[in-house]
Amino acid sequence: MTDKEYRDNFPAGIPCKVEKSDISDIDEEIMLISANHDVRESSMEVKRWEVSRLLELYEAKKLKGEIKNIHAEIASQLNISERQARKYTTAEKLIPELSELLNSNGIDLNQADKFGKLDEDAQKTILSIIQKNGTIENAEFQSIKKLSEERADEARQYKKQLDSATKEIEDKKHTIELLEQKINDFQSNGNSKEKQPDKDEMVKFAMQAKEKAEREKAKMEAQVEKLKQQQKEKEQRQTSISDSELKRINSIAKLEQSLNLLENNFDILKNNKSIIKNDAELKIRVEILKDRLVDLIENL
């Protein structure tokens, strides 16, 4: 535009922020993402991309020692809380179908954060429930979460056992190599000052120790193969939760909730004994509850 058009349209000038021209490519892209975020109404899919890309850029800056807290930096650039930035990051662990549901507002970010912390099989079960019922109840989610955590514990125990057995095999292998070297030294050292009977005895002892180490190594190798086979069989099994199993664990979850509710409110009953004692209706209800609890306990 001409100078006159500029003065007419922008009598007070154009507000701007001048940056140094020697900024890095990473900082330049961060600024661009932040600026676009400020002036545009972004969809969930775009917001997720912004967080994901900023995560990559800030990881590069952290490697250079330029920043410490990546999620705090992302939160600052996008004007969101650090906790919300972490939720977007967790959402990237969703299976594709749940990820698409998040983009289309079929689930919200809080749900995505909870679902993204579970394993793939648990997420598939959650997806099937949502597809069937349109939503998932908290009791159902808690049940699936519990199974997912149990599977994670099993996986950790498997890795611990496998690592321990593998280390023991390496130790036995090293012991065998040392004993073999010792045997060779005894047999090839013709100028040794050791008497022949003593030397033969030492060779015999070393060979026995080597044979024992080889047996123990073979035993550990068999154990490792057994562990691997068991794990393979588990992975090959259908790991999704059946309807009957889901109902069972839902019942357990509801029972736990009921017991927690009773335990948490028992002090209220206890501290108001005088009120119950003087109110006939309340007293009858407590006595009925007592009889029902006694009947339940006797039939356990």
Side-chain angles (χ1 to χ4, degrees):
M1 65 181 71
T2 64
D3 288 343
K4 183 178 184 308
E5 288 173 330
Y6 174 77
R7 288 192 299 272
D8 290 341
N9 289 314
F10 304 99
I14 300 175
C16 65
K17 181 181 179 183
V18 179
E19 295 284 353
K20 295 179 180 179
S21 60
D22 60 348
I23 63 172
S24 67
D25 291 342
I26 289 177
D27 286 325
E28 186 175 348
E29 186 174 353
I30 289 172
M31 289 169 57
L32 180 62
I33 292 171
S34 179
N36 286 336
H37 177 83
D38 290 340
V39 300
R40 297 175 185 171
E41 183 63 33
S42 303
S43 65
M44 173 58 73
E45 187 173 4
V46 171
K47 288 176 183 176
R48 291 177 65 188
W49 177 85
E50 290 172 342
V51 172
S52 178
R53 183 55 184 156
L54 285 174
L55 184 67
E56 295 175 353
L57 295 170
Y58 278 121
E59 281 176 345
K61 287 176 72 67
K62 188 173 182 179
L63 286 174
K64 296 178 181 179
E66 296 177 12
I67 63 165
K68 292 182 178 180
N69 190 329
I70 292 176
H71 287 96
E73 297 291 339
I74 294 173
S76 175
Q77 291 296 338
L78 301 181
N79 298 315
I80 59 177
S81 68
E82 185 177 338
R83 184 179 179 186
Q84 196 170 12
R86 292 183 183 279
K87 288 180 179 180
Y88 276 107
T89 302
T90 305
E92 295 310 302
K93 299 175 184 178
L94 292 173
I95 59 174
E97 296 86 349
L98 285 177
S99 181
E100 184 57 38
L101 274 178
L102 176 60
N103 289 341
S104 61
N105 299 318
I107 59 174
D108 60 34
L109 185 60
N110 289 329
Q111 289 176 306
D113 177 51
K114 293 192 297 183
F115 301 163
K117 293 173 182 175
L118 304 183
D119 61 49
E120 184 177 339
D121 291 318
Q123 291 190 43
K124 287 179 179 178
T125 302
I126 289 171
L127 175 66
S128 65
I129 292 173
I130 293 175
Q131 289 174 333
K132 182 179 179 181
N133 302 327
T135 186
I136 181 168
E137 299 293 335
N138 184 58
E140 293 173 317
F141 169 74
Q142 292 299 333
S143 299
I144 295 168
K145 179 184 176 185
K146 187 175 181 180
L147 281 182
S148 177
E149 290 170 346
E150 288 173 356
R151 284 199 293 260
D153 285 340
E154 287 179 0
R156 281 192 290 271
Q157 286 299 320
Y158 165 73
K159 186 178 184 304
K160 184 179 179 181
Q161 290 176 323
L162 188 62
D163 289 347
S164 176
T166 303
K167 183 180 182 304
E168 193 166 342
I169 289 171
E170 289 300 315
D171 290 343
K172 294 299 178 186
K173 183 179 177 182
H174 181 62
T175 299
I176 292 168
E177 290 173 352
L178 290 176
L179 288 168
E180 286 176 343
Q181 183 63 45
K182 202 72 171 173
I183 292 168
N184 289 335
D185 289 345
F186 284 143
Q187 292 176 336
S188 61
N189 193 353
N191 298 322
S192 173
K193 295 180 180 179
E194 295 285 343
K195 295 180 180 180
Q196 189 61 40
D198 293 338
K199 186 189 296 184
D200 292 342
E201 188 66 24
M202 293 174 73
V203 169
K204 180 182 176 182
F205 177 79
M207 292 184 71
Q208 287 175 341
K210 174 176 172 285
E211 289 171 0
K212 181 182 177 182
E214 287 174 336
R215 288 195 301 270
E216 291 172 346
K217 175 174 171 284
K219 184 179 178 181
M220 293 306 302
E221 287 173 339
Q223 184 178 336
V224 166
E225 287 304 314
K226 184 178 179 181
L227 282 171
K228 289 181 177 179
Q229 184 61 33
Q230 289 174 342
Q231 185 67 13
K232 185 177 179 181
E233 289 172 358
K234 281 183 181 178
E235 291 172 355
Q236 288 175 342
R237 282 193 219 113
Q238 182 67 28
T239 52
S240 60
I241 306 172
S242 66
D243 289 340
S244 60
E245 177 65 7
L246 186 57
K247 286 179 181 178
R248 186 185 73 82
I249 56 182
N250 279 345
S251 296
I252 293 173
K254 289 177 181 178
L255 281 170
E256 288 178 347
Q257 290 174 359
S258 298
L259 286 171
N260 289 337
L261 188 62
L262 181 60
E263 290 169 352
N264 293 335
N265 288 281
F266 182 77
D267 285 341
I268 297 175
L269 294 173
K270 185 178 178 181
N271 295 331
N272 290 277
K273 288 187 292 185
S274 59
I275 296 175
I276 297 171
K277 187 176 181 180
N278 296 319
D279 189 304
E281 185 177 345
L282 286 175
K283 188 175 181 181
I284 290 171
R285 289 177 65 183
V286 171
E287 288 175 348
I288 291 172
L289 178 61
K290 182 196 74 171
D291 293 338
R292 292 174 69 181
L293 283 172
V294 169
D295 182 64
L296 173 62
I297 293 169
E298 289 177 350
N299 286 281
L300 289 177

